Amino acid sequence: MKALEDSSLPRRVFQQRELLTGLLYEPMRHLADACSRVWGDRPKMETALSEAFSNVPYCKFLYALDTSGVQITSNISREGLLAEHFGRDRSDRPYIREALLAAEYSNKYREAQYQQWPYIREGVQAVDFLLCEAYISLHALRPSLTAVQFVRDTDGVLLGFIGADFALRDLPQAGEIYEEPRHSRRFEGDPFISDMADTKMRSESKMDRHLDTVLSVVEELILVHGVYHIILHFSSSQAILWVMDDPYRYRLLTIDELIDPNICLAYPKRSYPDEAVVPQQEVRKILSNLRTLRFMPGIFYLRSGSVNIFNGTVGLTFSSDCSHYVSHDDFLKRDHTLWNNG
C-alpha cells in the first residue's frame, strides 16, 4: 500500500485491507501446508484445494501456480472443478506480477525477507502472504482482489503459490461512509484551445487513458455501494458523486482514486434501490455510451456526463458547450451520430 495521506478515504481503504488480511491469513497458511505435502501431484493438490475451499471465506476461485505464474491445477469453485484453467499463464496479471516481485525480493534478500509482510495484529506478521492490490477482472469487468500464499517445502524453498480470487462485492466492508475532506483542490481541464472550429480537437486527458477501469469502478459504486448520482468530468479527470448514506453532501474523487478499485472498500455495501428508475442491467450500457461519445472523432466530443438512477436522467455537456438532459431510455436508443445535430 502507498503511504497513507491525511484524507480519510485512503485510511479507510487501509483499514479494510488490514481486516481482510487478518481474516484470510490463517486459512491460506493451513492450505499451503496441506498442498506442500502433495505438491506436483495434480489430483491430490486439487483434492486438498477442494477440501479447504469452504474454509477460505468469500472465496470465488482457488488454484495453484508454479514459480513462474503458470497454473498447475484446475480452478476450484463453488460449482466444482473448472479444468479449462489448467495451464493458464497468469504471469501477466497484476496480482501475480506482485507475487513474483515479492518472491524475487525474498530470494535475493533472505535475511530481510520478513520486512515485506504485513502485520495481522501487533507483533504478528502475515509471512508469505500477499493481499494484492485490487484490479478489474478480465471476464466480469468487476473490481476484484486476489490473495496469494507462498508454498514452501520443509527446507524453505519456494515451490509455488496458492491463489484465491474474490469479488470485492462479496467481501465484508465498511458499515459507514468515510468523511469527505474540506481542503481546497484544483483540477486542470483541457488545454486552452482556439475558438476556431477546425482547431477545437479533443486533447487526451488522464481519465481517457484509463477510462475502462474508471467506468468499471463507477459501475461497481452505483450497483453495490449506494452511489445514486455521479458526474464524470472527462476533461479534468475527476468525478463528483452522491451516496444514499449521506445524500446532502457530495464526494469528489481524483483520477488516482478512480483508477484504484480498492476505493470500493471504503464505501458501505448497499442493495440497489427498488425505487431506481434505471434498471441495474442498463447502468453498464449507459456508461459504455458515455465512453463512445467521449471518443467520437473530430471536433465534437463529450466533456462531462452524469447519471442519476432515481430520476432516470443522463446529463451531457459537449465540446460545443451545449448541454443535454435526456431520459436514460432515450439516451440508449439514440444513434450516437445524431448528437452532432443537437
Side-chain angles (χ1 to χ4, degrees):
M1 288 289 292
K2 300 174 183 177
L4 293 185
E5 304 169 4
D6 292 335
S7 166
S8 58
L9 175 57
R11 184 163 55 248
R12 178 61 60 84
V13 171
F14 181 80
Q15 290 168 347
Q16 289 297 118
R17 289 179 59 85
E18 268 193 330
L19 182 153
L20 293 172
T21 297
L23 189 68
L24 299 173
Y25 175 58
E26 288 298 332
M28 292 291 287
R29 183 174 65 85
H30 290 308
L31 176 55
D33 288 343
C35 285
S36 68
R37 294 190 286 271
V38 294
W39 198 261
D41 188 325
R42 180 184 171 187
K44 290 183 179 179
M45 292 170 65
E46 291 179 344
T47 297
L49 291 169
S50 298
E51 290 176 347
F53 185 84
S54 61
N55 296 327
V56 183
Y58 311 105
C59 185
K60 192 171 183 180
F61 301 115
L62 271 178
Y63 46 87
L65 307 108
D66 64 19
T67 53
S68 62
V70 175
Q71 192 162 328
I72 55 176
T73 66
S74 304
N75 272 11
I76 312 302
S77 71
R78 295 181 183 90
E79 290 73 36
L81 271 63
L82 303 175
E84 63 270 22
H85 292 274
F86 175 76
R88 176 181 170 186
D89 185 351
R90 293 182 182 255
S91 59
D92 63 337
R93 299 298 290 144
Y95 48 93
I96 297 303
R97 290 202 303 268
E98 199 174 333
L100 292 174
L101 284 172
E104 181 182 359
Y105 177 88
S106 241
N107 290 334
K108 191 173 181 180
Y109 304 103
R110 292 190 65 85
E111 72 281 358
Q113 64 176 303
Y114 290 104
Q115 296 177 11
Q116 67 182 297
W117 308 117
Y119 282 87
I120 52 175
R121 56 185 179 275
E122 187 175 354
V124 179
Q125 282 182 292
V127 178
D128 280 345
F129 176 90
L130 292 174
L131 184 64
C132 298
E133 295 298 326
Y135 59 91
I136 303 300
S137 63
L138 283 176
H139 301 296
L141 300 179
R142 292 174 181 167
S144 304
L145 274 176
T146 293
V148 177
Q149 177 70 46
F150 289 32
V151 182
R152 300 183 186 274
D153 64 16
T154 54
D155 295 322
V157 176
L158 181 66
L159 298 173
F161 311 97
I162 301 294
D165 291 347
F166 306 86
L168 251 63
R169 61 178 58 182
D170 294 337
L171 294 170
Q173 291 176 18
E176 298 178 356
I177 189 70
Y178 69 93
E179 183 175 342
E180 178 73 2
R182 296 182 181 178
H183 57 77
S184 299
R185 286 184 275 181
R186 182 174 182 269
F187 297 87
E188 296 289 343
D190 287 339
F192 177 76
I193 50 180
S194 167
D195 287 334
M196 298 296 291
D198 60 350
T199 62
K200 192 179 283 189
M201 305 297 288
R202 177 178 65 85
S203 177
E204 185 182 59
S205 68
K206 293 180 181 179
M207 185 178 288
D208 292 339
R209 293 194 288 273
H210 303 281
L211 194 51
D212 289 336
T213 296
V214 169
L215 295 183
S216 289
V217 169
V218 167
E219 181 192 16
E220 189 81 357
L221 291 173
I222 293 174
L223 295 182
V224 185
H225 298 281
V227 171
Y228 67 90
H229 186 185
I230 189 162
I231 305 174
L232 290 168
H233 293 279
F234 300 103
S235 298
S236 55
S237 299
Q238 39 101 4
I240 301 172
L241 57 85
W242 286 258
V243 294
M244 291 183 287
D245 284 82
D246 190 16
Y248 300 114
R249 286 178 282 251
Y250 64 75
R251 281 163 171 77
L252 195 154
L253 295 181
T254 66
I255 185 59
D256 289 336
E257 292 161 346
L258 287 165
I259 63 176
D260 183 3
N262 279 304
I263 69 162
C264 296
L265 294 169
Y267 289 80
K269 288 197 292 186
R270 297 292 180 258
S271 299
Y272 195 78
D274 294 334
E275 303 88 342
V277 173
V278 178
Q280 293 186 61
Q281 66 271 19
E282 292 189 355
V283 170
R284 179 173 290 189
K285 296 177 186 177
I286 291 170
L287 297 175
S288 178
N289 277 12
L290 292 179
R291 181 188 189 283
T292 300
L293 292 176
R294 175 61 180 172
F295 289 141
M296 286 179 67
I299 64 172
F300 192 77
Y301 59 87
L302 192 64
R303 284 186 180 278
S304 65
S306 67
V307 183
N308 187 303
I309 64 172
F310 284 121
N311 62 19
T313 300
V314 176
L316 309 165
T317 300
F318 291 95
S319 52
S320 61
D321 290 331
C322 66
S323 295
H324 300 259
Y325 293 89
V326 297
S327 66
H328 74 282
D329 45 359
D330 285 345
F331 177 65
L332 292 176
K333 292 174 186 175
R334 191 166 184 177
D335 187 328
H336 298 305
T337 59
L338 296 179
W339 292 107
N340 255 324
N341 300 316

